[in-house]
């Protein structure tokens, strides 16, 4: 990366000048060589787009990303804190300076949850008081800040409990089954569990413990998962040291996200709200997180039966189910209405101002948020700076680009949910896609080896091909194209024998746990999530800070810059394309895979449920998608298109994702309306959510109803694509 600013700006002006020349000549010579075409662009516009992208890609700078990162991680800034509100004002000010329009701070009044006092002590067989704090390190001054919170969980119930301790492994339902088999009940007891690997959302562990009748839940970080077993710990490496605490919320937002007291509508000031007792997303159990240093004395003083091998962690103790240990747990939470702030800014489109491309990232962090979300925020500020720069040079996108900084993502995806609910009707019509970045760089480049960190995006299947195409035009920090780096690291990390095919590169299974949720699952708009991953063991702890990122995670800040580039390129292509780059044949192929997985995982027989007709429908949808893609691509390449025709086609393409919504929602969770995408209570992805849950419950009547809903939606979309094709062909 070029770090000399004088050369940098000089290069840009040359490129800008070239762009003007090229754009002018492109008008008169629409010849295009294969390598220059872009999905959804006419040859002339593809050439102009490539020039614009060359200018754009020279703008993001690692040094600027580092500066932004230092600024946004300067102080702890959880949701509803003064520091987080100040940060919203800082972003708004920067966006105005960068040239963005209509910069607005939107306020939502939300039922918040912050700690008043939290304590934990062992009262038998010996006395021990847990510190519930993280150790300072001389090498990192930020770890000494008295503003760092102790241990707590957002939306824990308040209370005071003294009871016997039971170890329940990962706290998933099958773990309680095993306890039952061993004659152990957790009713009225305090349960201690591990943050599990594979990951299951802590709010699922809380609901499970609540259902089992436990009086309180302690979740600790075992070194087997994110500590010394994995490698060097902070401040010498990326993994969690003895005292690191994984804070978090335990909200049941897989039932309904956002402000728990305004389920389904926006928490604008003065909004009606339900009583907290009625809120389905609020836990009734008392819970807190622990470092392994605080958990170890509790575990090693147990004297009951030993656990099976699979339940053992990496601490040098004998792991036992129960025995002798009695614990006193105290949690006092302040649950009152607090203002949250969503910062928003616009660059109005020059041709199609009512078609919106939305980019966003959350701002609130459990402590400093070095990775989560500061790496995303730093990348976003480089994105907005670069887009502002393009605009100042008179290069305005065809469609409108909106940027949002969300608040309270960590609590219940709250800011994005309230904003999405407030503007839902408009978003359903106008939002082309939402491009989310939560943690941009959630891994340590210093321990990633020569291939580097893995690029691990997820996207609705219809946008997967355009994302793969864009990755070929971005350089990865390893020096290869991002596309090549993506293939190589996927092969390495998934232990594949060869590089994955293009269609297998993008993860098209999308769970919850970040701000894309309202747009996809509630409003039926296409989404992409972008980010790099790797070794990272300080999630939601005080050590997830600037030191971690600048010494261990991404010392060169090249990954931040690469992320800004791929984020910008996908946004620009969605904003500037002639025909929106949706590929519904890819969409259909993904559906066939999802259905195949559902069928084989659950061993569905035709006597239970007939799936063959659904496969046939998917095949019809695939053919319609292929045919439309080929005819429009062909005409676009030959320059044979008129703008009204393209516009009419785009309006039809925008309807497809909406048609996947069922306004009644999935059974039991009406807020989640998408028929193809949902999430499990663990936050894990869940395809065909209504159908899959019915099949897993062996409720064949409900499953048949869900098949009918899917069938109707696929038919509707197949007809839509066929009619789009015939209108297109007729209007030549
Ligand atoms: Zn996050």
């Amino acid at each position: 990366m070029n770090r000399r600013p004088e050369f940098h700006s000089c290069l840009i002006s040359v490129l800008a000048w070239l762009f003007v020349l090229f754009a002018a000549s492109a008008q008169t010579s629409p010849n295009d060589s294969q390598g220059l075409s872009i999905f959804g662009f006419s040859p002339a516009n593809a050439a102009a787009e490539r020039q614009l992208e060359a200018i754009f890609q020279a703008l993001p700078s690692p040094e600027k990303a580092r500066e932004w990162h230092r600024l946004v991680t300067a102080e702890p800034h959880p949701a509803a804190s003064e520091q987080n509100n100040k940060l919203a004002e800082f972003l708004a000010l920067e966006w105005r300076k960068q040239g963005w329009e209509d910069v607005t701070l939107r306020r939502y009044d939300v039922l918040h949850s912050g700690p008043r006092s939290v304590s934990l002590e062992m009262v038998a067989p010996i006395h021990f008081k847990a510190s519930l704090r993280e150790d300072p390190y001389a090498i990192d001054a930020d770890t000494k800040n008295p503003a760092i919170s102790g241990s707590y969980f957002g939306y824990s119930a308040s209370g005071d409990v003294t009871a016997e301790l039971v170890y329940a492994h990962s706290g998933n339902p099958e773990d309680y089954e095993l306890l039952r088999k061993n004659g152990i009940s957790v009713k009225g007891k305090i349960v201690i569990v591990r943050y599990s690997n594979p990951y299951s959302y802590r709010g699922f562990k809380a609901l499970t413990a609540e259902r089992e009748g436990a009086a309180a839940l302690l979740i600790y970080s075992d070194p087997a998962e994110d500590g010394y077993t994995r490698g060097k710990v902070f401040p010498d490496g990326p993994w969690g040291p003895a005292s690191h605490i994984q804070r978090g919320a335990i909200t049941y937002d897989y039932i309904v996200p956002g402000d728990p007291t305004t389920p389904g509508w926006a928490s604008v000031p003065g909004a009606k709200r339900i009583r907290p007792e009625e809120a389905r997303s609020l836990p009734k159990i008392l819970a807190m997180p622990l470092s392994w240093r605080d958990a170890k004395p509790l575990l090693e003083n147990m004297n009951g039966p030993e656990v099976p091998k699979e339940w053992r962690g990496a601490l040098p103790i004998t792991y036992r189910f129960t025995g002798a240990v009695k614990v006193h747990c105290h949690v006092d939470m302040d649950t009152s209405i607090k203002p949250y702030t969503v910062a928003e800014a616009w660059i109005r489109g020059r041709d199609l101002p009512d078609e919106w491309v939305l980019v966003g990232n959350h701002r609130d962090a459990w402590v400093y948020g070095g990775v989560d979300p500061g790496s995303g925020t730093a990348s976003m500020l480089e994105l907005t700076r670069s887009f502002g720069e393009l605009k100042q040079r008179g290069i305005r996108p065809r469609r409108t680009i909106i940027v949002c900084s969300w608040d309270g993502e960590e609590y219940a995806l709250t800011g994005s949910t309230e904003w999405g609910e407030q503007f839902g009707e408009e978003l359903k019509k106008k939002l082309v896609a939402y491009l989310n970045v939560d943690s941009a760089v959630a891994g340590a480049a210093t321990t990633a080896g020569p291939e580097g960190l893995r690029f691990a995006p997820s996207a609705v299947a219809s946008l997967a091909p355009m994302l793969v195409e864009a990755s070929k035009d971005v350089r990865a920090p390893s020096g290869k194209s991002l596309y090549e780096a993506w293939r190589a690291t996927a092969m390495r990390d998934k232990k594949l024998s060869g590089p994955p095919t293009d269609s297998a590169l993008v993860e098209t299974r999308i769970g919850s746990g970040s701000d894309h949720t309202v747009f996809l699952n509630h409003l039926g708009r296409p989404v992409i999530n972008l980010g790099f991953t790797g070794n990272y063991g300080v999630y939601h702890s005080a050590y997830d800070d600037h030191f971690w990122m600048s010494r261990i995670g991404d010392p060169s800040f090249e990954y931040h810059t690469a992320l800004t580039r791929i984020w910008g390129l996908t946004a620009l292509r969605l904003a500037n394309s002639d025909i929106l780059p949706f590929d519904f044949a890819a969409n259909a192929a993904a559906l066939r895979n999802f259905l195949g997985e559902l069928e084989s995982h659950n061993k569905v027989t035709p006597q239970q449920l007939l799936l063959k007709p659904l496969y046939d429908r998917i095949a019809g949808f695939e053919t319609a998608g292929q045919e439309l893609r080929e005819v429009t691509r062909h005409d676009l390449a030959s320059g044979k298109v008129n703008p009204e025709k393209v516009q009419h086609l785009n309006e039809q393409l925008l309807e497809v994702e909406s048609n996947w919504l069922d306004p009644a929602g999935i059974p039991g969770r009406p807020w989640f309306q998408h028929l193809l995408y949902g999430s499990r209570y663990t936050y894990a992805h869940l395809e065909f959510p209504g159908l899959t849950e019915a099949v897993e419950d062996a409720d064949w009547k409900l499953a048949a109803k869900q098949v009918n809903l899917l069938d109707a939606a696929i038919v509707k979309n197949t007809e839509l694509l066929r009619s789009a094709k015939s209108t297109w062909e007729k209007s030549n």
Side-chain angles (χ1 to χ4, degrees):
M1 192 56 216
N2 162 38
R3 290 181 194 181
R4 288 169 299 165
E6 61 289 1
F7 174 70
H8 196 184
S9 52
C10 165
L11 173 73
I12 292 161
S13 47
V14 169
L15 283 168
W17 185 73
L18 273 174
F19 165 68
V20 173
L21 278 184
F22 198 94
S25 71
Q27 301 300 318
T28 51
S29 61
N31 299 324
D32 183 32
S33 69
Q34 270 303 332
L36 291 177
S37 70
I38 305 175
F39 183 26
F41 285 76
S42 69
N45 286 342
E49 175 71 13
R50 288 205 174 273
Q51 293 307 304
L52 179 161
E53 289 177 0
I55 299 171
F56 163 73
Q57 291 219 54
L59 293 171
S61 124
E63 283 313 311
K64 282 297 294 179
R66 180 196 305 277
E67 286 168 28
W68 295 126
H69 192 271
R70 181 61 284 192
L71 284 167
V72 301
T73 61
E75 286 290 333
H77 54 283
S81 66
E82 195 190 327
Q83 223 28 70
N84 199 42
N85 294 336
K86 275 193 190 153
L87 212 46
E89 281 166 25
F90 167 78
L91 291 179
L93 186 72
E94 289 301 322
W95 287 343
R96 281 192 194 102
K97 283 197 242 167
Q98 292 170 353
W100 285 69
E101 300 152 356
D102 300 310
V103 179
T104 311
L105 295 179
R106 299 203 182 266
R107 172 177 157 177
Y108 300 98
D109 287 345
V110 170
L111 184 82
H112 182 69
S113 162
R116 263 196 222 104
S117 70
V118 177
S119 66
L120 178 82
E121 55 189 337
M122 173 161 55
V123 295
I126 55 164
H127 185 261
F128 161 76
K129 190 159 170 49
S131 81
L132 307 183
R133 310 296 300 194
E134 295 168 289
D135 289 342
Y137 291 92
I139 196 171
D140 178 6
D142 284 345
T143 60
K144 300 181 205 163
N145 189 339
I148 296 171
S149 76
S151 169
Y152 71 100
F153 278 147
Y155 294 117
S156 164
S158 291
D160 214 281
V161 178
T162 303
E164 189 192 324
L165 191 70
V166 177
Y167 171 60
H169 186 229
S170 288
N172 292 322
E174 60 274 20
D175 297 321
Y176 292 94
E177 273 315 311
L178 189 81
L179 284 174
R180 256 189 290 281
K181 275 190 199 140
N182 283 272
I184 299 161
S185 159
V186 300
K187 287 228 171 9
K189 312 252 175 80
I190 296 174
V191 171
I192 184 165
V193 306
R194 284 156 56 176
Y195 275 111
S196 53
N197 195 9
Y199 182 75
S200 91
Y201 168 54
R202 68 190 84 75
F204 175 62
K205 297 177 197 290
L207 180 66
T208 309
E210 187 181 300
R211 284 175 171 167
E212 295 286 343
L217 173 70
L218 310 174
I219 309 180
Y220 83 98
S221 304
D222 195 285
E225 269 112 45
D226 61 3
Y228 57 73
T229 312
R230 308 293 303 274
K232 281 190 179 162
V233 303
F234 185 93
D236 305 313
W239 297 103
S243 70
H244 87 284
I245 298 166
Q246 186 192 131
R247 296 160 190 77
I250 55 168
T251 332
Y252 305 161
D253 56 1
Y254 39 76
I255 300 174
V256 53
D259 180 344
T261 58
T262 64
W265 63 92
S267 298
V268 291
K272 67 168 173 146
R273 51 182 77 239
I274 59 173
R275 289 178 299 125
E277 305 82 77
E278 300 170 276
R280 292 182 69 198
S281 62
L282 283 180
K284 295 186 172 59
I285 192 167
L286 186 155
M288 70 173 81
L290 293 180
S291 66
W292 70 251
R293 191 182 60 190
D294 278 341
K296 185 166 169 267
L298 313 181
L299 294 167
E300 72 185 346
N301 276 292
M302 289 182 171
N303 65 2
E306 279 185 37
V307 299
K309 201 164 122 248
E310 316 78 70
W311 278 40
R312 285 181 215 148
L315 292 172
I317 58 166
T318 306
Y319 287 73
R320 300 174 188 278
F321 290 120
T322 56
V325 175
K326 215 172 190 188
V327 173
H328 172 216
C329 233
H330 164 84
V331 176
D332 181 14
M333 302 298 287
D334 170 12
T335 39
S336 55
I337 306 287
K338 294 265 163 67
Y340 282 14
T341 305
V342 170
E344 166 195 318
W346 295 56
I347 292 178
R348 304 263 166 200
R350 65 170 200 269
D351 298 339
L352 301 161
D354 284 335
E355 290 181 13
W356 302 346
V357 176
L358 176 64
V359 296
N361 157 257
H362 75 88
R363 188 178 66 255
D364 62 308
W366 285 107
V367 188
Y368 294 105
V371 167
D372 179 12
S375 61
T377 315
S379 300
M380 177 180 73
L381 279 160
E382 272 307 86
L383 181 76
T384 55
R385 190 180 66 79
S386 305
F387 281 3
E389 180 87 35
L390 292 180
K391 191 197 140 214
Q392 315 274 36
R393 290 157 190 251
I395 306 171
R396 198 178 264 279
R398 294 189 64 224
R399 298 182 177 84
T400 293
I401 297 179
I402 307 172
V403 60
C404 282
S405 164
W406 312 117
D407 202 349
E409 185 272 350
E410 296 291 3
Y411 272 82
L413 317 175
T414 307
S416 56
T417 300
E418 301 309 321
W419 191 88
E421 288 172 345
Q422 183 178 5
F423 302 108
E425 287 316 305
E426 231 180 328
L427 289 164
K428 280 182 182 177
K429 291 188 205 101
K430 299 180 178 175
L431 187 60
V432 170
Y434 171 55
L435 313 182
N436 186 57
V437 173
D438 188 321
S439 300
V441 186
T446 51
T447 67
E451 304 286 6
L453 295 174
R454 183 155 63 95
F455 181 50
S458 63
V460 292
S462 57
L463 285 177
M466 76 83 67
L467 178 58
V468 171
E469 184 185 54
S471 74
K472 294 177 181 173
D473 294 318
V474 172
R475 196 174 58 83
S478 65
K480 295 177 177 172
S481 73
L482 181 59
Y483 171 73
E484 285 302 336
W486 187 1
R487 280 159 43 107
T489 53
M491 204 172 119
R492 177 194 68 193
D493 294 353
K494 296 179 177 175
K495 300 184 171 60
L496 309 172
S497 52
T501 60
D502 282 3
S503 61
L505 262 182
V506 182
E507 179 55 82
T508 58
R509 297 160 181 81
I510 305 173
S512 184
S514 195
D515 292 305
H516 60 277
T517 305
V518 69
F519 303 105
L520 178 66
N521 302 98
H522 191 60
L523 300 173
R525 304 317 305 146
V527 300
I528 296 178
N529 278 301
L530 300 169
F532 289 97
T533 63
N535 297 336
Y536 170 46
V538 296
Y539 174 62
H540 289 183
S541 80
Y543 308 121
D544 182 9
D545 67 354
H546 185 69
F547 179 95
W548 190 96
M549 186 57 77
S550 60
R551 304 285 190 96
I552 303 163
D554 188 18
S556 69
F557 280 80
E558 298 268 8
Y559 282 94
H560 284 73
T561 309
L563 200 283
T564 299
R565 292 197 175 111
I566 185 66
W567 199 0
L569 231 57
T570 45
L572 287 170
R573 289 182 182 186
L574 284 160
N576 290 333
S577 64
D578 296 280
I579 297 175
L580 290 168
F582 293 121
D583 185 335
F584 296 110
N587 193 169
L591 296 190
R592 191 170 42 240
N593 288 341
F594 296 166
L595 194 59
E597 284 168 3
L598 167 78
E599 194 179 6
S600 64
H601 287 172
N602 297 284
K603 304 188 174 63
V604 180
T605 66
Q607 289 72 35
Q608 290 165 327
L609 189 67
L610 209 53
L611 292 174
K612 169 86 172 61
L614 207 50
Y615 280 110
D616 294 343
R617 295 292 196 203
I618 291 171
F621 178 51
E622 186 169 32
T623 308
Q626 273 161 355
E627 287 177 0
L628 179 65
R629 187 186 63 199
E630 292 323 312
V631 69
T632 53
R633 181 178 275 173
H634 174 266
D635 291 355
L636 201 57
S638 65
K640 263 198 329 189
V641 288
N642 74 62
E644 290 102 84
K645 178 171 153 169
V646 168
Q647 194 46 29
H648 183 60
L649 174 69
N650 283 338
E651 282 162 20
Q652 291 170 303
L653 297 181
L654 279 175
E655 274 177 44
V656 176
E657 199 74 35
S658 318
N659 288 338
W660 300 126
L661 289 190
D662 173 17
I666 61 181
R669 296 191 277 168
W671 187 91
F672 287 87
Q673 297 182 1
H674 209 291
L675 285 166
L676 313 184
Y677 290 106
S679 106
R680 292 186 186 273
Y681 282 27
T682 57
Y683 273 177
H685 60 87
L686 174 64
E687 292 71 51
F688 302 131
L691 174 61
T692 304
E693 289 185 332
V695 166
E696 287 173 355
D697 289 347
D699 184 343
W700 302 113
K701 229 174 116 184
L702 182 61
K705 260 171 88 176
Q706 291 291 321
V707 166
N708 288 341
L709 284 171
L710 277 167
D711 185 273
I714 298 170
V715 167
K716 192 169 182 186
N717 272 333
T718 307
E719 281 167 4
L720 177 63
L721 297 186
R722 282 186 190 142
S723 118
K725 177 172 169 269
S726 72
T727 316
W728 177 271
E729 284 171 326
K730 263 183 237 148
S731 60
N732 262 339

